[in-house]
């Protein structure tokens, strides 16, 4: 039940795809909507679409069902928003690219390279005691790879944040929902 | 023809129905002010930018029109933030045009530079920083449209100095493109017929229905439709603080205000109703009290033009996203009458048994002053309040019979709102007498605008209910902090009558209860602003009261009362 008096139940993670005007300040408005309500953004990815006047924001956030509903409505309410869609895991092709700097001295290097191969990741930099690995995939793949690399010593990680498209012919276009 | 950015803004303001501006010039807005003078655009010079925003707010609330606020960059712009936030919370349209340093110097910490765009994002419905003069025509048009369409709200156009003087080709008839994203914002949703059918079914089933009518009734111009619906279906009506005037206060079906300082009978009706129809209100926390105990037995219907309000605080059985006037028009053609004499009789008995009341002890009671204002003005005035105890007494004891006759800062609760809002309200509806009911604390926060009232001879009648306290905070300290009066006392309250005289405004100092009526009568006759400093009972409290966080059934009726409503 949506009220401020009690805990509203389970936290869920949701991914929103938002089409917005490609203008300065729009991202600040999206971010302000979150900070004003004390909601956290887990990841955020912005880029221009096939229409240069339109940008696509992929945003991962978490909260109970009422918070997520409020986020969807507030995103829709922004004047610069063209369309908001909640991406359903099952119907979405989603990817994230991660760069991982992992410790790999000579005696461990071949083990690490084996993991890279198994995950169809790439080694993009190599030095005496470390590798930079580029891996692309969905949450499951990236999580599994990080788990396997952790024992070797992860020195640094850079993540792009998740992007996603609905599977099939369905596209995110037209008017605000 | 070729025009400057400043000229284009003036032309477009005029063309889009903006008839007046409130503001103060300064360095970064001087080219625009030069054009205001040349074009003779109506403008009221205020003494503080916050005052200008409250004036535009008050103007909009009584007239339904939108005014411009004009300020310089930096402090001029940041001084508008409170007023913009106030307007945002209470859904009042304002078009604020703020000067900005020239585009090449933006971001260099230039003199009087502030990130107005960034600062105003959370307190506006939308905002623009115009870096290219060719965009101006479209921006001004869209700004007025955004401010006044759907759920109204304030907008800011940040206007750099070089853009003010830049020249471009201007054709007043040119069609400017509306942004793809803005188009749906301007489309008002049609009421969902299935939801209306469900509402009608619930209505037919209901034995104990109640309406809460919010500010949406007033902003949506639906007061006549509401009166028709409530009277023909015989449903009691509760008005929220900002909804006052949306339903005639003199109607037997009227139950006053709900919530924290609402009437006992309104809260009793909320606790017992089986169907609650919220028309254009937003279930504010001051209305609901503890949500889990709000209208516990009721099917809840909520009509709002803003999707984000539906289900935000209270679980709603029938949400209807629509213009409340369209919904009422449908209901008026379809709703059938049903005999609910038992319920109406019960409500009538509550009204008789638990009326608003206060004691007499020879001192000036603030409630008495308000009743006398009501009588002297014959209920025909526009009534404004500041924020605090006096605001609650005004909402309780005044009787509003027309929409747009009551202006108060509800959502933000901005002390200092009263005087500038009164000035704006008088400018917006010059045919109506304007009465400001203010507190000494609230009035002190913006009394500088007495100079504005004096300069333009704007005849606002100001009644200060002076208790030498920040009264509402003192009341909470008395009740919830064991009378530890931490920093709420003003032992040296200024002589407000003398201050008024200093501004060239007539002032009265009233210490004797016998002088209340005659002073108000005198004030009504004076052709100009008047300040009346009423020394009221210092420890008077606002009753009834629902303690913060409690359910509405836990209302306390008075100081001695331990009676709980169940």
């Amino acid at each position: 039940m949506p009220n401020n008096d009690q805990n509203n139940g389970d936290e869920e993670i949701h991914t929103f795809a938002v089409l917005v005007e490609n203008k300065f300040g729009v991202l600040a408005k999206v971010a302000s909507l979150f900070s004003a309500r004390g909601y956290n953004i887990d990841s955020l990815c912005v880029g221009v679409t096939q229409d240069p006047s339109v940008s696509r924001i992929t945003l991962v956030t978490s909260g109970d069902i009422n918070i997520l509903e409020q986020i969807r409505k507030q995103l829709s309410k922004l004047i610069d928003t063209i369309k908001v869609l909640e991406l359903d895991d099952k119907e979405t092709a989603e990817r994230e690219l991660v760069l991982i700097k992992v410790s790999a001295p000579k005696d461990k290097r071949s083990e690490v390279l084996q993991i890279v191969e198994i995950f169809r990741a790439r080694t993009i930099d190599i030095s005496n005691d470390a590798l930079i690995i580029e891996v692309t995939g969905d949450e499951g793949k990236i999580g599994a790879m990080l788990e396997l690399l952790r024992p070797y010593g992860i020195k640094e990680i850079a993540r792009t944040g998740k992007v996603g498209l609905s599977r099939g012919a369905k596209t995110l276009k037209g008017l605000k929902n | 023809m070729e025009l400057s950015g400043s000229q284009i803004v003036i032309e477009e303001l005029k063309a889009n129905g903006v008839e007046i501006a409130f503001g103060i010039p300064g360095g970064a807005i001087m080219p625009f002010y030069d054009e205001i003078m040349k074009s003779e655009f109506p403008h009221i010079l205020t003494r503080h930018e916050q005052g200008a925003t409250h004036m535009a707010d008050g103007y909009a609330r009584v007239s339904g029109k939108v005014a411009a606020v004009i300020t310089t960059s930096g402090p001029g712009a940041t001084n508008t933030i409170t007023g913009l936030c106030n307007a945002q919370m209470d859904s009042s349209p304002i078009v604020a045009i703020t000067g900005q340093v020239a585009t090449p110097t933006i971001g260099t910490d230039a003199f009087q530079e502030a990130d107005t765009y960034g600062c105003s994002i959370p307190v506006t419905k939308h905002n623009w920083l115009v870096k290219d003069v060719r965009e101006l025509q479209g921006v001004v048009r869209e700004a007025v449209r955004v401010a006044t369409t759907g759920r109204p709200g304030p907008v800011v156009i940040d206007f750099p100095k070089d853009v003010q003087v830049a020249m471009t080709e201007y054709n007043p008839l040119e069609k400017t493109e509306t942004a793809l994203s803005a188009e749906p914002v301007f489309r008002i949703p049609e009421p969902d017929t299935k939801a209306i059918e469900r509402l009608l079914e619930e209505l037919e089933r209901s034995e104990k229905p109640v309406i809460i009518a919010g500010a949406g009734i007033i902003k949506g111009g639906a007061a006549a439709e509401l009166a028709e619906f409530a009277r023909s279906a015989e449903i009691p009506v509760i008005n929220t603080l900002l909804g006052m005037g949306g339903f005639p206060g003199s109607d037997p079906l009227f139950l006053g205000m709900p919530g924290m300082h609402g009437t006992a009978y309104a809260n009793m009706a909320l606790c017992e109703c089986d169907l609650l129809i919220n028309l254009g209100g937003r279930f504010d926390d001051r209305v609901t009290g503890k949500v889990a105990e709000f209208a516990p037995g009721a099917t809840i219907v909520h009509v709002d033009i803003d999707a984000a309000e539906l289900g935000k605080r209270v679980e709603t059985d029938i949400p209807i996203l629509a213009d409340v006037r369209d919904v009422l028009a449908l209901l008026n053609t379809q709703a059938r009458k049903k005999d609910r004499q038992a319920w109406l009789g019960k409500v009538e008995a509550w009204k008789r048994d638990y009326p608003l009341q206060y004691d007499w002890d020879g001192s000036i009671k603030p409630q008495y002053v308000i009743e006398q204002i009501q009588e002297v003005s014959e209920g025909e005035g526009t009534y404004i309040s500041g924020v605090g105890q006096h605001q609650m007494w005004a909402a309780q004891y005044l009787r509003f019979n027309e929409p747009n006759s009551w202006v108060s800062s509800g959502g933000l609760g901005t002390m200092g709102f009263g005087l500038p809002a009164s000035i704006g309200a008088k400018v917006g509806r010059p045919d109506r007498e304007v009465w400001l009911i203010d507190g000494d604390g609230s009035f002190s926060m913006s009394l500088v605008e007495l100079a504005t009232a004096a300069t333009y001879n704007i005849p606002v009648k100001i009644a200060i209910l002076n208790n030498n306290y920040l009264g509402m905070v003192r009341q909470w300290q008395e009740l919830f902090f064991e009378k530890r009066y931490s920093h709420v006392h003003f032992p040296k309250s200024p002589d407000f009558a003398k201050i008024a005289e200093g501004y060239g405004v007539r002032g009265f100092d009233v210490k004797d209860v016998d002088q209340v009526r005659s002073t108000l009568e005198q004030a009504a006759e004076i052709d100009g602003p008047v300040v009346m400093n009423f020394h009221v009972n210092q420890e008077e409290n606002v009753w009834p009261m629902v303690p913060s966080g409690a359910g509405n059934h836990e209302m306390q009726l008075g100081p001695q009362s331990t009676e709980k409503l169940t």
Side-chain angles (χ1 to χ4, degrees):
Chain A
M1 179 172 158
N3 67 56
N4 301 340
D5 304 327
Q6 60 202 49
N7 194 328
N8 297 320
D10 298 336
E11 289 253 317
E12 292 174 29
I13 295 174
H14 280 232
T15 307
F16 291 93
V18 192
L19 293 185
V20 296
E21 298 281 335
N22 180 15
K23 292 191 290 200
F24 72 86
V26 177
L27 186 59
K29 283 174 179 165
V30 171
S32 167
L33 174 169
F34 281 80
S35 62
R37 293 171 177 78
Y39 301 158
N40 192 38
I41 297 174
D42 296 328
S43 94
L44 181 74
C45 193
V46 192
V48 73
T49 62
Q50 70 275 26
D51 176 348
S53 70
V54 177
S55 289
R56 183 181 178 110
I57 298 175
T58 312
L59 191 153
V60 182
T61 183
S62 48
D64 66 44
I65 190 166
N66 297 311
I67 288 178
L68 292 166
E69 177 67 5
Q70 193 58 212
I71 289 172
R72 193 184 64 75
K73 285 174 170 172
Q74 292 295 340
L75 283 169
S76 301
K77 203 170 147 178
L78 290 178
I79 308 282
D80 287 321
T81 298
I82 298 159
K83 180 97 179 169
V84 180
L85 183 74
E86 263 188 87
L87 295 180
D88 182 328
D89 289 355
K90 290 174 214 105
E91 290 166 31
T92 307
E94 49 179 57
R95 290 291 181 272
E96 183 175 13
L97 187 148
V98 184
L99 300 182
I100 309 159
K101 187 179 284 181
V102 64
S103 175
K106 280 194 185 107
D107 58 326
K108 298 280 180 197
R109 193 182 286 163
S110 61
E111 287 178 35
V112 174
L113 286 172
Q114 230 176 346
I115 295 173
V116 170
E117 200 170 317
I118 291 164
F119 278 90
R120 291 183 199 158
R122 295 166 58 195
T123 311
I124 57 172
D125 183 71
I126 187 158
S127 62
N128 277 337
D129 47 9
L131 296 175
I132 297 179
I133 298 163
E134 173 197 317
V135 60
T136 304
D138 60 15
E139 246 176 305
K141 175 177 169 181
I142 287 167
M145 178 149 193
L146 288 172
E147 204 48 53
L148 281 176
L149 290 175
R150 192 154 286 132
Y152 298 95
I154 295 173
K155 293 161 164 289
E156 227 175 348
I157 293 180
R159 309 178 69 138
T160 59
K162 186 157 82 177
V163 291
L165 289 177
S166 296
R167 294 185 188 278
K170 202 169 104 185
T171 60
L172 225 189
K173 64 181 177 195
L175 301 167
K176 218 185 257 196
N177 50 359
Chain B
M1 72 195 125
E2 197 155 78
L3 293 188
S4 71
S6 298
Q7 288 170 318
I8 290 170
V9 172
I10 298 277
E11 289 307 314
E12 285 297 324
L13 286 177
K14 283 188 199 159
N16 289 284
V18 180
E19 296 168 7
I20 194 164
F22 301 90
I24 309 181
I29 194 75
M30 286 180 69
F32 186 51
Y33 261 93
D34 196 41
E35 211 47 58
I36 288 173
M37 186 177 197
K38 285 189 204 152
S39 66
E40 296 181 352
F41 191 84
H43 178 275
I44 286 183
L45 172 62
T46 71
R47 297 297 165 114
H48 193 289
E49 289 87 353
Q50 184 184 342
T53 55
H54 294 328
M55 286 179 207
D57 191 335
Y59 173 91
R61 292 198 211 192
V62 299
S63 71
K65 293 184 286 191
V66 62
V69 166
I70 307 171
T71 78
T72 192
S73 62
T78 55
N79 274 346
T80 66
I81 298 297
T82 301
L84 292 170
C85 190
N86 189 77
Q88 171 87 334
M89 289 282 266
D90 289 352
S91 311
S92 205
I94 293 176
V95 175
I97 298 166
T98 53
Q100 182 55 278
V101 299
T103 48
T105 48
I106 288 179
T108 65
D109 294 337
F111 177 64
Q112 292 196 326
E113 184 187 351
D115 174 11
T116 304
Y117 183 88
C119 290
S120 57
I121 286 174
V123 294
T124 52
K125 188 172 171 189
H126 197 51
N127 62 358
W128 295 261
L129 164 60
V130 182
K131 294 200 286 189
D132 184 339
V133 69
R134 288 168 301 181
E135 292 171 5
L136 261 180
Q137 186 173 10
V139 166
V140 178
R141 285 178 182 181
E142 203 167 296
V144 176
R145 214 167 156 210
V146 168
T148 53
T149 309
R151 182 178 183 174
V155 296
V156 166
I157 302 172
D158 205 22
F159 194 15
K161 199 170 182 179
D162 54 334
V163 181
Q164 292 167 34
V165 295
M167 305 294 290
T168 190
E169 196 55 37
Y170 174 73
N171 170 9
L173 300 176
E174 185 165 305
K175 282 199 76 172
T176 48
E177 226 175 273
T178 299
L180 176 66
S181 57
E183 212 32 76
V185 177
F186 300 137
R187 203 175 305 130
I188 305 303
E190 296 277 326
D192 172 13
T193 47
K194 284 219 178 81
I196 298 286
E197 273 169 32
R198 282 184 61 203
L199 165 52
L200 287 166
E201 280 165 24
E202 288 294 337
L203 197 57
E204 229 152 89
R205 196 173 309 143
S206 168
E207 298 292 337
K208 300 182 285 182
V210 167
I211 292 170
I212 286 191
I217 293 292
I218 294 168
K219 292 177 201 297
E225 287 80 359
L226 170 63
E228 186 188 338
F229 174 58
R231 284 168 182 161
S232 66
E234 290 189 304
I235 306 175
V237 178
I238 295 166
N239 267 154
T240 66
L241 177 66
L242 295 185
M244 291 286 174
F247 188 74
S250 55
D251 195 291
L253 289 167
F254 181 65
L255 296 187
M257 188 167 68
M260 184 172 275
H261 290 298
T263 58
Y265 36 94
N267 283 338
M268 287 163 146
L270 281 175
C271 288
E272 275 216 21
C273 67
D274 61 7
L275 175 64
L276 174 58
I277 308 172
N278 181 346
L279 301 170
R282 61 179 180 85
F283 287 124
D284 180 84
D285 55 283
R286 261 32 183 181
V287 167
T288 61
K290 190 174 182 181
V291 173
E293 284 161 33
F294 177 70
T299 298
I300 293 180
V301 182
H302 189 185
V303 180
D304 207 291
I305 203 161
D306 179 357
E309 290 299 344
L310 298 171
K312 186 179 81 176
R313 295 196 70 251
V314 171
E315 189 175 24
T316 302
D317 301 289
I318 308 178
I320 302 177
L321 177 65
D323 186 325
V324 70
R325 191 170 159 188
D326 296 340
V327 172
L328 280 165
L330 281 174
L331 293 178
N332 282 332
T333 59
Q334 296 175 34
R336 263 174 294 181
K337 205 174 167 132
K338 175 170 171 165
D339 181 32
R340 299 188 191 93
Q341 283 315 310
W343 172 236
L344 293 178
K346 196 165 188 181
V347 170
E348 208 43 55
W350 284 332
K351 283 172 83 170
R352 192 182 56 235
D353 295 342
Y354 302 97
L356 287 167
Q357 56 188 341
Y358 60 94
D359 297 330
W360 276 102
D361 60 7
S363 67
I364 304 179
K365 287 287 183 146
Q367 301 95 325
Y368 170 74
V369 178
I370 291 164
E371 287 176 334
Q372 291 303 306
I373 289 173
Q374 169 85 17
E375 279 185 27
V376 169
S377 62
E378 294 168 345
E380 300 280 299
T382 301
Y383 306 90
I384 323 286
S385 83
V387 169
Q389 287 182 311
H390 68 276
Q391 177 187 29
M392 293 296 104
W393 285 315
Q396 289 176 335
Y397 286 89
L398 289 171
R399 280 281 161 271
F400 308 99
N401 284 318
E402 272 180 66
N404 305 316
S405 60
W406 163 244
V407 179
S408 191
S409 167
L412 194 63
T414 310
M415 288 174 68
F417 175 75
L419 176 56
S422 308
I423 293 170
K426 185 65 189 179
V427 174
R429 282 294 302 272
D431 56 313
R432 292 174 74 100
E433 218 169 53
V434 169
W435 292 84
L436 167 62
I437 293 152
D438 217 339
D440 50 322
S442 201
F443 182 69
S444 296
M445 288 199 182
S446 61
L447 66 78
V448 67
E449 300 299 349
L450 278 177
T452 310
T455 304
Y456 296 91
N457 196 32
I458 298 168
V460 290
K461 314 299 176 193
I462 302 159
I464 304 170
L465 306 182
N466 187 348
N467 57 10
N468 291 55
Y469 274 110
L470 293 167
M472 187 58 94
V473 184
R474 189 207 55 74
Q475 175 170 343
W476 282 51
Q477 288 174 344
E478 177 188 331
L479 299 174
F480 311 118
F481 293 84
E482 296 166 324
K483 294 196 179 180
R484 291 188 299 278
Y485 292 156
S486 177
H487 302 274
V488 287
H489 192 209
F490 296 127
K492 275 208 154 194
S493 184
D495 184 336
F496 287 112
K498 260 193 190 159
I499 288 179
E501 300 287 350
Y503 278 107
V505 168
R506 280 293 299 277
F508 294 89
D509 198 61
V510 186
K511 292 196 168 93
D512 185 344
V513 70
D514 295 333
Q515 290 170 358
V516 171
R517 177 69 178 232
S518 59
T519 305
L520 291 169
E521 283 169 349
Q522 255 181 292
E525 293 305 314
I526 292 169
D527 178 28
V530 183
V531 170
M532 295 157 278
N533 185 20
F534 294 102
H535 296 268
V536 299
N537 187 302
Q538 296 199 346
E539 304 220 339
E540 187 70 13
N541 285 338
V542 183
W543 300 111
M545 179 172 191
V546 179
S548 186
N552 280 343
H553 63 290
E554 295 170 277
M555 171 174 259
Q556 212 178 324
L557 293 172
Q560 314 307 333
S561 163
T562 51
E563 185 178 1
K564 299 271 173 75
L565 309 176
T566 36

